[in-house]
Amino acid sequence: MPAGHEGWGAYAPFYDWENARTMGRRDLGFWRQLARRTGGRVLELGSGTGRLTVPLHRHGIPVVGVDRTSEMLQHVAPRARRARTTRPPLARGDVTSLPFADGSFRLVMAPYGMLQSLLSDVLLARAIREAWRVLEPGGLFGLDLVPDVPKWREYTRKLVFFSPEGPRGRPISLRETVRQDRDKRLTTFEQEYIEGRGASKQVTPFTIRFRTLPLPAIAGRVARAGFDVEAVLGDYRGAAWDRRADVWLLLARKPR
């Protein structure tokens, strides 16, 4: 089984550029409202380039980001400068072995399919147990899954994006290959960013993988870890979940 963290370092220079055209800030309001309602310190698992961590910090929420990919974390300080705020507290670490004391946080958030980068039951169980450990009694665990990943149609070297000006000021295109392993529930994205033209052309290939379990299966694993599942939502406005929902959100509380 490949490791789920592989590929994210090479992806880092392009992550914000691509996500501005896909996810953007669509989920920010949900997490901001949840953090304010919950109160106390917040931990974001897989905080990456600070897409959520920086604006939450800017709005006065005591948030800490953790990510194991140093190349992603290097983009947080420039993002904070652009947002005219200070850099939020960060830690480089593995979500299956968090570098924090027991009961350190009131809210642990795993946004935008973060847990889908854990490619085995063992790793997923460890991450859920670690979320339990670092939450204070009565604290909340929120996770967000991307339901359409296993439905992605397979294709080879499809031109997905083009822009005359990419993140480094040069013309950029993204060619992508998608592979599905239905038995293992794995979706593999082989991506190739092409910057510039002619002799100055620069190609950056990398591969990222996701494992998607049905939401009821994730809820069962969270409950078996000792959490009380409080809500299963189908969008960022709080609508009820069903199997056709565009978003799979689960909120679970650690008992007091």
Side-chain angles (χ1 to χ4, degrees), residues 116-191:
Q116 288 165 278
S117 292
L118 304 174
L119 304 185
S120 73
D121 285 336
V122 171
L123 293 177
L124 178 60
R126 287 176 183 168
I128 294 171
R129 286 198 302 268
E130 281 293 274
W132 164 278
R133 181 183 65 78
V134 301
L135 274 170
E136 59 184 72
L140 197 65
F141 181 33
L143 61 95
D144 178 6
L145 304 177
V146 182
D148 62 347
V149 170
K151 303 173 189 175
W152 222 283
R153 183 175 56 86
E154 291 189 312
Y155 48 74
T156 300
R157 296 198 79 246
K158 178 181 177 181
L159 181 63
V160 177
F161 287 125
F162 171 78
S163 174
E165 185 174 344
R168 295 191 271 216
R170 290 174 285 177
I172 187 170
S173 58
L174 168 62
R175 290 197 175 275
E176 183 176 73
T177 297
V178 177
R179 299 281 178 258
Q180 296 284 4
D181 187 329
R182 308 293 180 185
D183 293 336
K184 295 180 179 178
R185 299 184 180 273
L186 286 178
T187 305
T188 299
F189 294 87
E190 298 171 3
Q191 299 195 304

Side-chain angles (χ1 to χ4, degrees), residues 34-49:
L34 186 66
R36 285 177 170 165
R37 189 171 75 238
T38 304
R41 296 179 75 214
V42 177
L43 175 64
E44 182 186 355
L45 305 181
S47 56
T49 65

Side-chain angles (χ1 to χ4, degrees), residues 1-8 113-119 149 179 185-190 206-212:
M1 178 69 69
H5 66 276
E6 294 174 348
W8 290 90
M114 187 273 137
L115 293 183
Q116 288 165 278
S117 292
L118 304 174
L119 304 185
V149 170
R179 299 281 178 258
R185 299 184 180 273
L186 286 178
T187 305
T188 299
F189 294 87
E190 298 171 3
F206 58 91
T207 299
I208 53 176
R209 297 175 176 87
F210 302 95
R211 177 174 179 258
T212 305

